[in-house]
Amino acid sequence: MLFLALPLAAQPVPSWSPDEDILGHLEKQPDNSRFMAALKASGWDVTLRTPGRYTVFAPTNQAFAALPRALAAALVDPRQRDRIRALVGCHIVGREVKFGLGPDGTQVIRTLGGCTLRLTRKGLDIRVTDENGITAKLRMFDVFEANGQIEVIDAVLTPKLPAGAS
């Protein structure tokens, strides 16, 4: 018997929960608890409770664990609310994102936080790149809820850094 090792690609999750919103879903996901805490600390949870259609790129707890120590500390410091708000805003789009990418396999979208993200797709492999060149791979996509969709990613996206910043 021959077994082939296939690379793991993002897994589509064709779910639909018309009675649950994005926040309700994320609150139940242990692997997105750090993102949920950042959503609440930033105030973006209020936006996601208003009527509308949203796409949320939700980083896993492992993605948050990989952040530089200073940035991770800022995300739990209430005095850093503006910084938290800017970072979390890079993960929320004010519409549903369809992954029908352009002829070159890419799509550019703008987030509610003012970040520009580039989506690239090759088969089921979808990646999101922020303005600083950080690339996140979609690990689970198209979790549809009453007010939009969730795309689980493996990196934390960041707002554009000023020239010379690291």
Side-chain angles (χ1 to χ4, degrees), residues 29-86:
Q29 303 307 310
D31 197 35
N32 294 115
S33 62
R34 292 180 77 179
F35 180 64
M36 190 65 203
L39 268 169
K40 289 177 179 178
S42 68
W44 281 109
D45 61 321
V46 174
T47 300
L48 292 175
R49 292 199 192 282
T50 62
R53 303 300 295 168
Y54 305 97
T55 297
V56 175
F57 292 97
T60 62
N61 289 345
Q62 186 175 3
F64 277 94
L67 287 174
R69 187 173 293 184
L71 180 55
L75 292 177
V76 294
D77 183 351
R79 297 170 296 171
Q80 298 285 328
R81 187 169 190 264
D82 290 344
R83 190 172 184 189
I84 298 167
R85 187 160 175 81

Side-chain angles (χ1 to χ4, degrees), residues 35 55-59 86-95 97-99 101 105-120 126-136 138 151 153 155-160:
F35 180 64
T55 297
V56 175
F57 292 97
L87 184 132
V88 174
C90 283
H91 296 82
I92 304 169
V93 181
R95 63 180 174 83
V97 174
K98 305 295 182 210
F99 294 106
L101 305 175
T106 65
Q107 177 183 9
V108 176
I109 58 174
R110 189 102 168 132
T111 69
L112 290 179
C115 298
T116 301
L117 304 177
R118 187 179 76 244
L119 306 176
T120 55
I126 301 171
R127 296 180 187 265
V128 182
T129 304
D130 69 18
E131 297 162 315
N132 300 306
I134 294 173
T135 298
L138 268 65
E151 315 295 342
I153 57 176
V156 177
L157 305 170
T158 57
K160 187 170 185 161

